[in-house]
Amino acid sequence: MTRSTASFSLFAAACFVVGVTGAAAQEPLRIGALYPLSGPLALLGNENMEGARVAVEMINEKGGINGRKVEIVTGDASTPDKAQSEAERLASLEKLEVITGTYSSGLSYAASQVVERRGGIYWETGGIADGLTKRGFKNFFRVPFTASQNGQLAATVAKDVIAPKLGKKPSELTVLVIHEDSDYGTSVASAAEEKAKADGFKVAGRLPYKASSTDLSPLVLRMRAGSADIVIASSYANDALLIQRQMKQLNVNVGAYIGTGGIHGLPSYAEGLGNAVNGIFNTEGSANVNPDALSEESRALLAEFRKRFEAKVGKTPSYVGTQGFVGTHALLSEVIAKAGSTEPAKVRAAALALDIPEGKTVLGWGIKFAPEGDAMPGQNQRSFPVAQQWQDGKLVVISPDKVKTTDATNIPLPAWSNR
């Protein structure tokens, strides 16, 4: 071989390597996204999904991750069976190593079991049932708070906010806890009941029901029979509206009503109830915490997210949409970017190394995951729910003090004839 021929061969080989490397750098980085996009939870699932899409859009406009654009491959997890089959499809046929979702705890149980078995990463942005992080899974990470935290906060609001406004001690007030009967609702309600009893309230009972019920009048009548002063409710969407409508129809009045997530924090809840929504409480995360509780960077990110979400969806994002954004943005910008790929071992290591202080996300949370060996491995230890109240048709934060924007009003709730 002549020197010129050898030089040409080396040049050609170099060009081939550069070409292959350049082509690989342009391949999209693909992650799965499982949400209930149809069925009874579609309202909540689609908003969660849209928040995730905005996160991807913002990451891609800044060049993606290590020069690779991010692509979401979606799956419709409308039921637990579909969540399981869609997780199988994304993991096996699409060969995705990281899957995010799912909003609903029941759906997350089904999907994450598949992904854990296959050795992939499951990144939960919405489901809060305690059991999700009590299974000892190695590759399951949850960004939001737990159901127990949410239920405990509802009882704390009853003690620290509502009881003083009613001019009574907890021992003089009766609390009734009602809940849809999935693991999510049961986890929230059990924690609320336990905390209410510990705080000295008279607890009339904890009443489960099917979220798919079309008549909840027996449940509503138990509020009257139990002489409930305060109702703590863990509901999803249609069931939450049905309870209020049947309370009005049957003229069942209570001193205070505390929802714990689901539709209670969405504009559609206010639209469905009109002026009757004013005074109702809700405990979960909030997209409207006091801006002073956020870092300057987080305030700017929140403003950009809101602008993009409104342009995309035509409405202001609720907490549900914002949690989808926060979880997905953190996964991409803080975890996968540092892992350098979606290889599960590297993503897991990057997730466990994450150390974001409170106030550094747009919900006011930080992010620090519990390690393997903890009672709840993979649980974000720096996320927390907040207490809110509907006032003048808007949801405002009334507790805890570090993120509140105003004080609670409208206690006791007016009778239905005055709402």
Side-chain angles (χ1 to χ4, degrees), residues 178-245:
I178 62 176
H179 65 97
E180 60 84 29
D181 63 358
S182 76
D183 191 60
Y184 150 70
T186 303
S187 295
V188 175
S190 297
E193 178 187 30
E194 183 178 346
K195 185 71 165 60
K197 286 180 177 178
D199 288 339
F201 287 100
K202 294 177 285 184
V203 178
R206 177 167 63 81
L207 308 179
Y209 67 88
K210 295 289 183 186
S212 57
S213 300
T214 56
D215 180 13
L216 290 171
S217 57
L219 183 80
V220 169
L221 289 172
R222 284 288 299 273
M223 296 180 193
R224 178 184 290 158
S227 302
D229 297 299
I230 301 169
V231 172
I232 297 176
S234 182
S235 309
Y236 270 123
N238 294 334
D239 52 323
L241 287 167
L242 180 61
I243 289 169
Q244 291 296 318
R245 288 166 179 162

Side-chain angles (χ1 to χ4, degrees), residues 308-325:
R308 288 173 179 264
F309 189 95
E310 289 175 14
K312 192 178 186 70
V313 183
K315 64 178 181 179
T316 302
S318 72
Y319 164 66
V320 174
T322 309
Q323 71 178 186
F325 171 78

Side-chain angles (χ1 to χ4, degrees), residues 29 45 48 59 75 112 116 123 138 140 153 160 207 266 283 289 297 308 322 329 335-336 355 357 378-379 412 418:
L29 189 154
N48 224 212
I59 294 291
S112 58
E116 180 77 9
W123 189 267
K138 182 177 180 180
F140 182 90
L153 178 60
D160 293 345
L207 308 179
L266 294 183
T283 60
V289 298
E297 182 182 6
R308 288 173 179 264
T322 309
H329 195 272
V335 178
I336 293 179
D355 190 3
Q379 172 60 42
N418 297 319

